[in-house]
Each structure stands twice: as C-alpha cells, then as structure tokens.
Amino acid sequence: MNYNPPTPAERVLNRYRWIRWIVSLLVILAALYYLVFVNQYVVAYKSDLDHYKYGSIGSEPVNGLPILVFKALPVMFRAELGPTGYRRFGMLYETEQSELPVGMSRRIVSGIERVWLNCAVCHTGTYRLEPTDRPTIVYGAPSNNLRLFDLIKFFTKVGSDPRFSADNLIDAIDGPEVHGHLNFVDRLIYRYIVFPRVQAGFQHLAQQVSFINRQADWGPGRVDTFNPYKAIQFNFPMDAGHITDTELNGSSDFPSIWQQRPRDGMHLHWDGNNTSVDERNLSAALGAGVTPVTVDIAAVHRIRRWIWTLPAPPFPAAVDRAKAWRGGQLFAEYCAACHGMKNEAGQYVYDTNRYPRLGQVEDLDRIGTDRGRWASYTQDFSAAQNMLYAGYPWRFSHFSKTAGYANQPLDGIWARSPYLHNGAVPTLRDLLEPSACTAANPCRPAQWYRGMDILDTAKVGYRTDGYGYDPKALFLYDTTVPGNSNRGHEGPAYGTGLPAADKDAIVEYMKTL
C-alpha cells in the first residue's frame, strides 16, 4: 500500500514533466532528422573565381557521388583509367595536390558529402606555347580537354561491372590512396545504403543514355548538348525509329562564356535557340546535373554576375601590328557585319545597330555548315523546355527552333579553337580555306588530331600534328563521320577566295580580338 500517494497537484506536475520530456525528445529527433536528412550544406567560397571552380549549383542531391566513391573509382578501375585517374578524361587539376578537379563541387546531402559537376568543367580551357610549359588555365574558355563522352561511358559501365562490389569499394576507400578511414558504422552505411544506391544510379544512367552506343565518339572538347537532355529530363524515346542519324550526331564544341552582358538579347547557343542569358545559364545547369527542384538559383546567379563582365583573354604571343592593321581593313569588309570587331580604342563593339547581323541567326542553306547540331534541336524538344521550372519566376519561355546557326562575337577567338560550331576546322587560317581542295588552293584538313593544347601562334589554333604528345592520348577527328563535316562558311563572301597574304593578314588581326 502506498502510504504517501502523490497529491493531485503532484500528479499534474508529473504528467506535465513527462509531456515536457516527450516534447523535448521529439524536438531533438526532429532537429536531428532535419540536420542529417533534410538540410544541405555547401562549401562556400569567398572569391567568385573559386565559387566558379568549385561552388555547388545544386547538381549533387540527385546526381552527385559520395566524394569517397568518386575518389575510389580510379583506384578500383586503374586498368581502364591508368595512373592519372580522371585526367584520362581531360579533367583539370590546378596542382598535383588538388583533391578535386576544376568543375567538381561539394554539397553535404543526407549526411554524406557528395560531389558533381558545375559550370567550370565544360568552360575551362588550357594552352601552352611549348610542350615543356605548364598548362595555362583559361577560365571561361571552352574546355579543349574534356572527354565527356568517355567519362559518361565509364560511369555507365561501372554499374554493371562485377569489380564494382561493396567489398571492393570499401577496400578502396580505406586504402592508402583514398584514406577514407571508415569506422564500423561507416562500413555498414557504405555496404547497405551507399553502395546499392550508387550502383543503381549508374545502372539507371546506363539505361537513360543507352543511345550513346549508337553515336560517333564526341571527342575532346565536344558535347552532345540536347540528346542526353531529351532522354534524362523528358524521357523522349531515343531508339532508331524515333531519332535519325543526323539528329543523333549533333555534337558541338563547348562555347566560351566571357562577356555575357553584351550577348544578352542576341541569339545564344550555336543555333540561336534562346535570347536570354539567364535561361541559357539555367538550361546549361540542367545539363550539368541539377534538376528544377535542386537547382541553387543564388549560386547560379553568382556565376552569372561573374561572367557578365569577365574579359576575354589577350593573345599570349607577339602580334605583327602592321599586318594586323591591314587585316583589320579586310576583317571590316568581310567579317564585321556578322561578328562585330574592335573600335579604334581597342574595345570590342557588340552594337547590333552598327553590325545588324551580329547575334542573328544565319540561314542554314546560306551558311552551309553541318546540320547535325541544328537537327538535334527539335520543335518538340523546344516545347518541352518551355515547360521547365513551371511555377517559378524563372520558368523558361524563350526557347524556339531556328532556321540555322547564330553569328557570334569573336572576342578572345584565339582561345576558342577549333572552329565552326562542331569544331571541324582546327585553326583560323584553315577556316579561310575552302573545304574542297583544288589545284589552285589548299583546303581545310580532312583528318587531324584533337586533344592538344599547344598553340599554333601563326595559324591560331591548337596544333594538330601530335607534336610533344603520346599519340594514344590524341583523338583523330574525321570530317567524314556524321556530324563532323567541315563544309560551309566558305565562298567569296567568307573570304576563302582571297589571296594567301590577305588571309594571313586577317588571321593576324584576329589575334587582337
């Protein structure tokens, strides 16, 4: 018998005490759930350049890899990647000690640090003047190194490779090259949660982009912008019955992204399918792996502010000023109406009133360049794009199918080699030759090597002869492969009939742009 029962007031206080304990416990559990499974952390960078190189734009929550898995894969698949790891795919590391390549960003999602792509992976190039030089990195330039086709194929194969097992992954993470130091709990998490999810993700990616097995290799510095977009974002049917060979092989070069402010309102992308820099940026972010739900608008806008006025890089070698002056007169006569040029003060003039065809779409029948990139962008795809980001202020509304390719400003053109939208012509000097050889004229190369970053400062473009390179590291560009034609942008109006000395002078002038 209880000889000292609680008073009614004590019973009420006890009940309140239990309620407080239960409420406190629920608050703590809710906070832990929010912090671990909902809240996301990004690594913030003070400088805009560092944010461009490594800042998250929101690609990690859905498509990102745990950083330890990303670092373990080159160890597990050394036979395919070789001793240089992701450098095999042209990914750039600032130093030998850099943990991640340029263009890989971090975000902590569900308690796991994940990494994936941002803008810099496709828009950072390098050049050297001599084989013994260290590569000079040019931010905002087209990536002339990145082999995105090979990187995607690697990831799609990993998911079904028997060597990709939980045991091998954990061993690689704990090995001397990754230094993962997994404890007992970590091992359980990686074995039963992380590994199955990553493997399923790779296998799903392989199903989504299975059409790439029917494509010609994109080669370094090129991307098929829209066919993966169709498959991943919209589940478009990509079998041979729905996609013609021409539409399937529309790979094109990565563009430069400096000086975006004067480009706003011009027809952007190679085929001019949008006139809004903001929509172009958000569309490109989708290509890097963000989704309409995960996109980090503030982070994308920060990059937008940086590239808004980012200057084009100056030509890194000597210029014959007298020859360039003569070339400037010819450039004004043959090129400026479509591309603009610098004024007497040395500033590039993007004024479309002065150069009325600048930033406008040139009819495909008129310019005559390869149709693949143009064909890969369809009316149906345009309509689907304009439904993206529905419900948000930044919903797309400017995408449209055009009749050709856009005339672009040529600022920093020396760092945008090779040329034409599909990178089919290796140097500016070659671009001033016709595609077909005659007894009187040399012609554009029909086969040449891509993948070099040594500048040919006379012809302006990256060398194509393998000078100083391991031939196995180069890519043979064949202009007879679908999507690779080097025809077009030729004839009297384009200067390909000028005397050789005049062509040399135009190239000399273009070094100054």
Side-chain angles (χ1 to χ4, degrees):
M1 177 176 289
N2 184 356
Y3 294 101
N4 189 23
T7 64
E10 288 174 330
R11 285 199 294 270
V12 171
L13 289 174
N14 282 336
R15 189 161 58 245
Y16 283 162
R17 188 177 297 116
W18 275 106
I19 291 174
R20 284 199 297 271
W21 274 105
I22 292 171
V23 169
S24 298
L25 181 61
L26 290 175
V27 169
I28 292 171
L29 291 175
L32 287 173
Y33 176 81
Y34 174 79
L35 291 172
V36 174
F37 296 106
V38 178
N39 195 24
Q40 299 176 15
Y41 303 87
V42 297
V43 178
Y45 297 94
K46 287 186 177 179
S47 91
D48 288 340
L49 176 58
D50 287 339
H51 175 70
Y52 174 74
K53 291 186 288 188
Y54 304 113
S56 171
I57 57 174
S59 63
E60 304 88 351
V62 173
N63 293 295
L65 288 175
I67 187 170
L68 294 178
V69 175
F70 180 77
K71 293 166 72 173
L73 289 177
V75 179
M76 299 173 68
F77 294 93
R78 195 184 307 280
E80 282 79 5
L81 273 58
T84 59
Y86 292 111
R87 291 177 178 84
R88 161 74 178 75
F89 303 118
M91 303 191 85
L92 303 173
Y93 289 77
E94 292 188 276
T95 69
E96 289 299 320
Q97 292 72 40
S98 296
E99 185 178 18
L100 292 175
V102 173
M104 294 296 293
S105 57
R106 303 165 184 256
R107 184 179 288 253
I108 289 81
V109 183
S110 301
I112 299 288
E113 183 176 11
R114 302 188 192 183
V115 296
W116 200 239
L117 309 177
N118 70 9
C119 310
V121 73
C122 298
H123 302 289
T124 302
T126 65
Y127 75 85
R128 291 179 292 164
L129 298 179
E130 297 294 339
T132 54
D133 293 346
R134 287 180 58 84
T136 298
I137 297 179
V138 185
Y139 298 104
S143 171
N144 50 320
N145 310 281
L146 183 63
R147 295 172 182 252
L148 199 54
F149 184 83
D150 293 340
L151 180 63
I152 293 172
K153 293 201 81 169
F154 170 69
F155 285 143
T156 60
K157 289 178 180 176
V158 165
S160 57
D161 193 302
R163 291 169 294 178
F164 188 62
S165 66
D167 287 337
N168 290 341
L169 176 63
I170 291 171
D171 287 346
I173 289 175
D174 272 343
E177 295 175 80
V178 179
H179 299 291
H181 304 302
L182 299 179
N183 58 36
F184 176 74
V185 175
D186 292 334
R187 286 169 176 264
L188 291 177
I189 291 173
Y190 269 80
R191 181 178 299 280
Y192 295 109
I193 298 177
V194 174
F195 171 76
R197 290 186 178 183
V198 171
Q199 186 182 45
F202 282 145
Q203 293 173 347
H204 183 55
L205 176 66
Q207 293 174 352
Q208 287 180 307
V209 300
S210 59
F211 64 88
I212 68 173
N213 296 313
R214 295 188 287 115
Q215 288 185 311
D217 191 336
W218 306 347
R222 298 210 311 170
V223 61
D224 176 1
T225 308
F226 296 119
N227 287 317
Y229 203 147
K230 295 171 192 171
I232 293 173
Q233 294 288 347
F234 301 121
N235 295 316
F236 275 26
M238 301 297 292
D239 57 276
H242 290 87
I243 299 288
T244 66
D245 283 347
T246 302
E247 183 178 340
L248 187 66
N249 290 286
S251 301
S252 55
D253 272 34
F254 299 113
S256 64
I257 55 172
W258 46 65
Q259 285 294 318
Q260 292 300 298
R261 179 165 59 186
R263 285 169 165 81
D264 199 29
M266 294 184 184
H267 286 268
L268 307 169
H269 286 136
W270 293 111
D271 60 347
N273 60 38
N274 201 307
T275 57
S276 164
V277 166
D278 285 338
E279 289 196 11
R280 191 281 316 277
N281 292 347
L282 282 174
S283 177
L286 291 168
V290 308
T291 72
V293 174
T294 66
V295 63
D296 188 332
I297 290 293
V300 173
H301 283 180
R302 185 178 179 190
I303 293 174
R304 185 250 205 195
R305 288 194 295 273
W306 185 67
I307 62 178
W308 203 236
T309 56
L310 178 68
F315 187 67
V319 176
D320 182 331
R321 293 294 169 181
K323 185 191 287 187
W325 183 87
R326 165 63 179 151
Q329 310 304 305
L330 294 163
F331 188 91
E333 180 179 353
Y334 285 90
C335 314
C338 292
H339 297 293
M341 64 185 297
K342 283 191 170 179
N343 59 22
E344 293 181 351
Q347 298 171 323
Y348 205 100
V349 178
Y350 305 89
D351 187 350
T352 54
N353 292 314
R354 182 170 179 181
Y355 303 112
R357 290 164 62 189
L358 174 62
Q360 302 302 307
V361 173
E362 204 69 34
D363 192 272
L364 189 59
D365 291 334
R366 176 184 172 87
I367 196 168
T369 50
D370 189 278
R371 303 175 66 87
R373 171 63 177 77
W374 174 83
S376 73
Y377 192 82
T378 64
Q379 292 278 12
D380 288 345
F381 179 61
S382 169
Q385 275 188 301
N386 283 322
M387 294 300 293
L388 283 170
Y389 296 111
Y392 295 98
W394 48 86
R395 174 179 174 171
F396 290 163
S397 60
H398 290 70
F399 280 101
S400 63
K401 175 69 177 173
T402 69
Y405 293 109
N407 297 321
Q408 300 186 2
L410 301 184
D411 45 358
I413 190 64
W414 69 268
R416 294 155 62 178
S417 166
Y419 302 103
L420 294 181
H421 69 276
N422 58 350
V425 183
T427 70
L428 289 176
R429 187 61 179 79
D430 292 319
L431 189 60
L432 289 170
E433 303 292 0
S435 59
C437 300
T438 67
N441 268 324
C443 59
R444 300 168 183 174
Q447 288 188 331
W448 48 281
Y449 286 109
R450 288 188 70 143
M452 301 182 66
D453 68 351
I454 302 172
L455 272 182
D456 181 336
T457 56
K459 299 177 73 174
V460 183
Y462 298 114
R463 293 181 65 145
T464 62
D465 55 0
Y467 175 63
Y469 270 71
D470 178 353
K472 290 184 291 187
L474 299 175
F475 175 81
L476 182 63
Y477 188 96
D478 185 345
T479 57
T480 65
V481 169
N484 287 6
S485 172
N486 64 354
R487 298 183 63 184
H489 199 276
E490 56 187 318
Y494 297 94
T496 56
L498 290 170
D502 287 351
K503 295 176 182 178
D504 292 341
I506 292 175
V507 171
E508 200 68 17
Y509 170 73
M510 293 179 78
K511 295 176 183 177
T512 70
L513 295 177

